[in-house]
């Protein structure tokens, strides 16, 4: 499903786009109201998220323009303006929901699901990644190989999902640290190597065909052969 985020705050863009991408959505980003207007009117989006304080065209005006031309597109306002007057103003301009910053990603995700149901969108978010006989259910966070369930820790799962979404791509230790742990580690740490070995023991141990491979001097890659 395709979502549009119109937001000029890099931190918000990073958290929202990454979180929704991990949940299986395709997320497009517009940094201001003018670009957001063009993208919203010229493309199909299943849901749009708008900040209010935007360069070019503010979110309230943009919401009204979109709803006039695409009334069946759900819109969530994301803003720090949380007074009753602001909320009422946003809803009066056509917004379907209003989320006040700072917000938790889980709440945004729940509101997106609710709006997609209301508008009749496809809300079965069971995204299955299949590599050989390995199956990863992105929404349920479950893993099977050869139809047998494999129990992973939260960190092991994040590592596996990241490698699977980058199938056949060599991932450096820095790539993995930044994407799986999302914090700056001492580059001398061997935490990546340790967790890759944990995964190997669970994913490849009882299989003839190994999926996790080492690219000597470069990093790791998940691929069929």
């Amino acid at each position: 499903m395709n979502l549009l985020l119109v937001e000029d705050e890099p931190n918000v863009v990073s958290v929202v786009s990454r979180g929704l991408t991990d949940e299986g959505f395709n997320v497009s980003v517009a940094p201001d109201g003018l670009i957001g207007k063009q993208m919203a009117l010229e493309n199909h989006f299943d849901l749009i998220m708008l900040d209010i304080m935007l360069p070019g065209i503010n979110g309230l005006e943009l919401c009204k323009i979109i709803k006039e031309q695409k009334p069946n597109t759900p819109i969530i306002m994301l803003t720090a303006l949380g007074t009753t007057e602001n909320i009422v103003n946003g809803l009066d301009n056509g917004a379907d929901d209003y989320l006040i910053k700072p917000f938790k990603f889980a709440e945004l995700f729940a509101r997106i699901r609710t709006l997609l149901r209301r508008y009749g969108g496809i809300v079965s978010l069971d995204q299955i990644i299949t590599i050989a006989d390995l199956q990863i259910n992105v929404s349920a966070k479950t893993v099977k190989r050869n139809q047998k369930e494999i129990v992973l820790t939260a960190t092991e799962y994040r590592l596996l999902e990241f490698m699977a979404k980058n199938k056949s791509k060599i991932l450096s230790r820095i790539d993995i640290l930044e994407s799986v742990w999302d914090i700056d580690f001492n580059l001398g740490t061997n935490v990546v190597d340790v967790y890759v070995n944990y995964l190997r023991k669970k994913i490849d141990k009882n299989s003839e065909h190994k999926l996790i491979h080492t690219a000597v001097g470069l990093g790791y890659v998940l691929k069929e052969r």
Side-chain angles (χ1 to χ4, degrees):
M1 303 192 78
N2 299 312
L3 308 184
L4 173 62
L5 172 63
V6 187
E7 172 64 69
D8 64 335
E9 293 184 36
N11 290 340
V12 177
V13 170
S14 177
V15 171
V16 173
S17 59
R18 179 178 175 181
L20 291 174
T21 298
D22 287 347
E23 294 295 343
F25 292 103
N26 297 316
V27 182
S28 299
V29 178
D32 61 53
L34 291 172
I35 296 175
K37 175 185 175 183
Q38 181 179 3
M39 292 177 67
L41 298 183
E42 294 181 359
N43 302 278
H44 168 73
F45 292 102
D46 297 286
L47 183 141
I48 297 175
M49 295 159 284
L50 302 176
D51 185 19
I52 287 185
M53 303 299 290
L54 290 169
I57 302 175
N58 70 54
L60 294 175
E61 184 180 351
L62 180 54
C63 179
K64 186 175 182 180
I65 292 171
I66 295 171
K67 281 295 188 177
E68 286 175 350
Q69 299 193 39
K70 296 189 173 185
N72 293 322
T73 299
I75 294 177
I76 299 177
M77 307 300 295
L78 307 178
T79 182
L81 303 176
T83 67
T84 300
E85 181 180 358
N86 291 137
I87 295 173
V88 171
N89 200 11
L91 298 175
D92 284 346
N93 277 277
D96 297 277
D97 205 346
Y98 200 108
L99 195 54
I100 300 170
K101 300 176 184 177
F103 54 83
K104 293 184 178 179
F105 175 78
E107 182 177 3
L108 172 62
F109 186 45
R111 290 174 184 243
I112 288 173
R113 294 200 308 269
T114 298
L115 281 179
L116 290 176
R117 290 192 194 97
R118 184 187 306 170
Y119 278 80
I122 301 171
V123 294
S124 176
L125 302 178
D126 288 341
Q127 301 291 324
I128 307 297
I129 300 175
T130 301
I131 301 173
D133 56 353
L134 176 70
Q135 288 188 329
I136 304 169
N137 187 315
V138 174
S139 60
K141 309 297 184 189
T142 57
V143 177
K144 292 182 179 179
R145 183 149 195 203
N146 194 25
Q147 299 303 314
K148 295 180 180 179
E149 187 167 355
I150 299 172
V151 178
L152 301 178
T153 66
T155 302
E156 290 168 351
Y157 174 82
R158 289 197 304 272
L159 174 58
L160 179 63
E161 183 181 304
F162 176 64
M163 296 181 74
K165 286 181 175 179
N166 290 278
K167 174 187 173 183
S168 300
K169 177 181 177 182
I170 296 175
L171 301 169
S172 70
R173 289 170 176 80
I174 294 176
D175 291 333
I176 295 172
L177 283 172
E178 291 179 346
S179 298
V180 176
W181 279 267
D182 198 28
I183 56 176
D184 294 328
F185 269 84
N186 180 337
L187 296 183
T189 182
N190 66 342
V191 65
V192 171
D193 308 281
V194 169
Y195 272 88
V196 168
N197 285 332
Y198 288 163
L199 267 188
R200 277 185 167 138
K201 291 177 181 178
K202 294 185 177 182
I203 299 298
D204 285 339
K205 181 179 179 180
N206 298 315
S207 298
E208 180 181 352
H209 301 294
K210 308 305 179 185
L211 298 178
I212 300 173
H213 304 271
T214 300
V216 179
L218 297 174
Y220 297 99
V221 58
L222 183 66
K223 60 182 181 180
E224 295 186 24
R225 294 296 176 107

